[in-house]
Amino acid sequence: MWQTFIIEPMTNLLLLIYTLIGQNFGIAIILFTILIRAITWPLTAQQLKGTSGIQELQTDKEWMGIQKKYKGDKEKLAQEQMRIYKERGINPFGSCLPTLIQFPIIIGLYQAIIRSLAATPLSLLNLSRGLYPILDVTKVIPLKSTFLWMDLGRPESIQVFGFALPVLAIIVVITSYIQSKLMTPPPNPGGNDQGAAMSGMMSIYMPFLMGYFALTFASGLALYFITSNLLGIAQYVMMGKANWDNVIPGRKK
Amino acid sequence: MKLKTLFILSMVLIFSVLLSGCSASAMRTNSWSGLSADADNAYLANGTFVYAITLKNGGQLWQYPAEGADSKEAYFANPVLTDDGQLLIASAGSNHSLTSLDTTNGTANWTFADAIAPWIGSPTVVDGTIYAPNSDGILYTLDMNGNLLWKKEIGGALWSQPVSDGKMLYITSLDHNVYALDLASQEIAWSVSVEGALPGSAAIDEAGNLYVGSFGSNVASISTSSEAIAWDSEIAGWVWDAPTLDGETLYVGDLEGNFHAFNTSDGSEVFAPVKLNGPITGSPLVLDDFIVVGTEGNLETEEFGKAYAIDREGGIVWQQTINGQLYTAPVQGGDLILFSPVEADAVLVALDLDGRQAWPFTPAK
């Protein structure tokens, strides 16, 4: 199921792009990411809308009123919260959906990259199965795994004064940090401090986690992370939702 | 907010586990095995170990490394026996090591670890010199003590054992080319391009003709005198391993599960392709009375691989199911036919000439 609906379509799409653009796997990954971002654009927009909508509720008089009024009745409080969500057109789970969708894409892409580059006999044999008949990949297999200074099937680093500097992993951390900070709305005085603190922690931990993945796994995945992050940042800016004051600590107003 | 954070944290955890799992499965070290044999013993490269097994009863003589697994090693290539009693084993692990073992006790004679990429193909020995093709596209030439003599960039990833007529070394590459390397000048004399990638070796006959199968779903004959393709026959599936010569007949299997026989003179089929129960990734083994091939089986229906004995008219003499998938070419050891299944408890299975199992070999845990 996973194989048929995730890995094989992704592998074939990557191979199709690779074939069409003149056999550059790095560009193929970038274009693939743009395509995925374009498909998930409405979901990301919904996520942003949901996040800012929920944030605005924290200072809303009616919202604060029901918190006080039904403090001892959790069932009634939940009913009232759902009513307000419905009235204001806010989907409380809308902000989770894009995150949920990202995971199978990332895992699937990673498997598709490893499968497409086929560095071992079994991976090459696996590549031979599940290729769509419309694709004539005979001439392009094996794929050229190099892109700029990287071997996209292996973790990346550049030797600087005898040290292996993981350039892509560093860029992944920076772009992930900027993206997560941009989408965090400014804290408000009446807001939930605990929630804000946890959100702040997440915006620190997530970039490092992504950086760890970029450091450990194939650099093709890091290329996906960077492209995806940059596109995410561009989307926030285009939607006027980017909160630049959050990016640089101490610049908050 | 708490719930959402917990949800994201859970997702991150699941994601990490899944991604780690992907990585591990992509590099499963026991996913392929290498096999060779002499009259008395079989030598099996499997995962992080190489085993010597007596053909008498399938008992283990030694294992390398004796003290325990080295996670940086992964042996896929067929071990190579040399005339002076060495066993050359090439590792696809991160150590990129090519090691010589003493066949009597499995201790290491020497290790060459200067290649920059894994070894997928086996080395070949010509006149006391080791020619080792690496997936970095370089052919490394060593003396029998493991000292580097010279190296030559060939092109593409080199996954197969070169063959030689004594003067030239013929190297197949995943870059779709067959290269002829002049051993005297150490230069590439000529190359011929075929339709697809060449993960398997070439077969060479006494007249100096080469035969290759490729991912272009074709089998081709290359004349070394004219340095050009003599004939090219299209087949249904990709060819993984080298064709096998049997006089004027050439046997080869494809990934669609077809077993083919070609006339070496013109590439015409001797009999209609014989359909087996799964992809054929190993070269056929030619015996006196029949030809033996193994299959992967059918992964979708979870059908195990099978060993087939096929006569020279294309009739199936016998077939034997073997637990696991049979990726590696079968090998003859004495009066036994050896298969090295993967994804099975027994990593080596010996069949007699009637297809009955003589013994299985399962490494001690």
Side-chain angles (χ1 to χ4, degrees), chain A residues 47 51 54-55 92 95-97 99-100 102-103 106-107 110-111 114 118-129 131 137-142 154 192 194-196 198-199 202 205-206 209-210 213 216-217 221 225, chain B residues 1-2 4-9 11-12 14-16 18-23 25-28 31-32 76 96 116-118 120 135 157 159 174-176 195-197 199 215-217 238 240 255 279 281 296 299 327 343:
Chain A
Q47 179 190 24
T51 306
I54 290 169
Q55 191 66 29
S95 57
C96 301
L97 194 59
T99 315
L100 199 62
Q102 283 279 325
F103 288 132
I106 293 170
I107 294 164
Y110 181 73
Q111 290 183 325
I114 294 297
T120 63
L122 189 65
S123 55
L124 187 58
L125 184 61
N126 284 336
L127 178 63
S128 73
R129 320 176 221 271
L131 289 172
V137 293
T138 301
K139 288 185 172 60
V140 300
I141 287 179
R154 296 172 184 280
N192 183 343
Q194 195 184 6
M198 290 189 88
S199 183
M202 285 298 291
Y205 290 142
M206 277 298 282
L209 189 74
M210 291 303 193
F213 288 148
T216 316
F217 296 114
L221 189 68
F225 284 149
Chain B
M1 189 63 86
K2 250 184 178 179
K4 187 184 162 188
T5 309
L6 280 173
F7 168 77
I8 292 172
L9 281 173
M11 285 291 114
V12 166
I14 294 166
F15 173 66
S16 313
L18 283 174
L19 208 54
S20 306
C22 304
S23 174
S25 67
M27 280 299 289
R28 273 181 302 168
S31 60
W32 211 269
F76 297 155
H96 310 159
I116 56 173
I120 307 289
S135 58
W159 277 23
L174 290 188
D175 74 359
H176 306 194
E195 281 291 308
F215 279 7
S217 299
W238 294 4
W240 186 275
L255 295 188
T281 54
E296 182 191 46
L299 296 183
Y327 293 132
E343 301 293 326

Side-chain angles (χ1 to χ4, degrees), chain B residues 216-232:
Chain B
S217 299
N218 68 324
V219 176
S221 169
I222 298 166
S223 165
T224 55
S225 53
S226 66
E227 301 168 7
I229 291 175
W231 55 258
D232 190 342

Side-chain angles (χ1 to χ4, degrees), chain B residues 53-68:
Chain B
I53 299 131
T54 173
L55 295 176
K56 285 178 192 164
N57 54 15
Q60 180 177 314
L61 299 171
W62 50 257
Q63 73 172 37
Y64 174 84
E67 60 274 12

Side-chain angles (χ1 to χ4, degrees), chain A residues 29-30 32-33 37 102-103 105-107 109-110 113 168-177 179 206-233, chain B residues 15-16 19:
Chain A
I29 291 173
I30 291 169
F32 176 87
T33 312
R37 269 285 176 176
Q102 283 279 325
F103 288 132
I105 290 172
I106 293 170
I107 294 164
L109 176 74
Y110 181 73
I113 290 170
L168 284 195
I170 292 168
I171 299 173
V172 166
V173 173
I174 293 169
T175 54
S176 299
Y177 175 81
Q179 185 183 223
M206 277 298 282
F208 281 104
L209 189 74
M210 291 303 193
Y212 171 74
F213 288 148
L215 187 70
T216 316
F217 296 114
S219 54
L221 189 68
L223 192 62
Y224 167 81
F225 284 149
I226 293 169
T227 313
S228 184
N229 288 344
L230 291 175
L231 290 170
I233 292 166
Chain B
F15 173 66
S16 313
L19 208 54

Side-chain angles (χ1 to χ4, degrees), chain B residues 125-138:
Chain B
V125 179
V126 182
D127 294 336
T129 301
I130 299 166
Y131 298 94
N134 189 271
S135 58
D136 61 12
I138 294 171

Side-chain angles (χ1 to χ4, degrees), chain B residues 26 69 118 122 136 138 142 170 211 299 321 325 337:
Chain B
S122 303
D136 61 12
I138 294 171
L142 314 174
Y170 301 103
Y211 303 92
L299 296 183
T321 300
Q325 286 96 50
I337 302 160

